[in-house]
Amino acid sequence: MSKSYRVGILGATGAVGTELLELLESRKFPLAELKLLASERSAGKALCFQGENILVEAVSDRSLANLDIVLASAGGSISKTWAGIAVDKGAVIIDNSSAFRMNPDVPLVVPEVNPQAAFTHKGIIANPNCTTILMSLAVWPLHQVKPVKRIVAATYQSASGAGAKAMEEVKIQTAAILEGKEPVAEVLPYPLAFNLFPHNSPLTASGYCEEEMKMVNETRKIFSSPDIRITATCVRVPVLRAHSEAINLEFETPFNPDDARDILRQAPGVKLVEDWEANYFPMPMDASGKDEVLVGRIRQDISHSCGLDLWLCGDQIRKGAALNAVQIAELLVSGKNLLK
């Protein structure tokens, strides 16, 4: 990466935006210029980068000019408004919202899984949903050895998936409950502290919520396997940061759990965490702030000879969002397949 690039972060003051800023610095992304972009409401705020304060600008035609890459994490409506303008001005958009994920002309990329797809872009590359990214890192290496026929997923999703305000709300609710007061829910529809509820995304006609259908449709697209049968149940849980998932996989033939462990030990972006004697497996506390998806409790499904169960935890803000986007940018500027 001998060249340096002009990069903009759209949604720079949000939870994912600030993580993007930290990752560009810690991973030493080759920057010629960095622009921090957000709404008019956030314009004028200062964020620290490499020891210096950078002022946040209001996103506009002018602020999007002369950029090579825009890392967008400001929500689907904002992406739909500004992505085309940024592309017309010569930038590549790596978008963290759901706005373009299922557009057949937009690649949906997890660099450890389908890096080659990034190079088919027409100006926009979509970052998958957090739960999809975390699951794909654990399932793809196994799928390469024995194709998966069916995936049954249950997710345990932290407050971070709803943003920084939701994380703060859980803290306030926790304090209120411990003081004997009624918890107030404003960001999420119900109190999450000491509670859990099915994911609050809109329900579809099938009875599945949109979050669950994202896992179904996005995984099929990333794997280029439209026939994989996938079902998911997504749940909000009172954890601040890092999502967890219980995954059941069905194969054509039995998959030895020890073979699965050997494969996942070597898989990029994955860390095997298992201590059977101590009953110690991945936990959100261990995954928070980590790049890797922690995978463990790999075992034979006793109800199906060709089934395999596993458990994973991954940082939703990091690999589930910001890190994946930065890795896509690194992939583009290196011009190389990261798996080679």
Side-chain angles (χ1 to χ4, degrees), residues 275-325:
D275 186 337
W276 288 87
E277 289 186 5
N279 197 9
Y280 187 96
F281 303 104
M283 293 184 287
M285 289 180 66
D286 295 333
S288 293
K290 301 294 194 307
D291 290 348
E292 303 91 353
V293 174
L294 310 183
V295 182
R297 205 158 182 248
I298 301 165
R299 61 202 186 280
Q300 171 69 48
D301 177 354
I302 60 173
S303 73
H304 196 301
S305 62
C306 298
L308 197 67
D309 286 302
L310 58 86
W311 171 257
L312 65 84
C313 294
D315 190 315
Q316 176 274 331
I317 300 175
R318 208 162 178 96
K319 181 54 185 173
L323 175 60
N324 199 76

Side-chain angles (χ1 to χ4, degrees), residues 256-279:
N256 185 289
D258 286 333
D259 291 342
R261 288 187 187 92
D262 289 341
I263 292 165
L264 290 172
R265 278 192 190 96
Q266 302 174 57
V270 171
K271 182 179 179 181
L272 188 68
V273 177
E274 289 189 324
D275 186 337
W276 288 87
E277 289 186 5
N279 197 9

Side-chain angles (χ1 to χ4, degrees), residues 72-136:
S73 189
S77 61
I78 301 298
S79 291
K80 288 177 181 177
T81 299
W82 295 106
I85 293 170
V87 171
D88 287 344
K89 291 181 178 294
V92 175
I93 309 299
I94 301 172
D95 184 54
N96 196 56
S97 79
S98 61
F100 305 105
R101 289 175 186 157
M102 298 313 299
N103 184 323
D105 293 326
V106 175
L108 186 63
V109 177
V110 178
E112 296 89 345
V113 177
N114 62 336
Q116 68 289 342
F119 298 102
T120 67
H121 75 82
K122 299 176 182 179
I124 303 174
I125 300 172
N127 217 28
N129 192 49
C130 49
T131 52
T132 304
I133 293 173
L134 303 180
M135 182 172 73
S136 68

Side-chain angles (χ1 to χ4, degrees), residues 141-161:
L142 305 177
H143 181 65
Q144 293 298 97
V145 176
K146 291 186 180 183
V148 176
K149 289 178 58 182
R150 184 170 186 252
I151 303 173
V152 180
T155 71
Y156 307 79
Q157 296 180 223
S158 63
S160 63

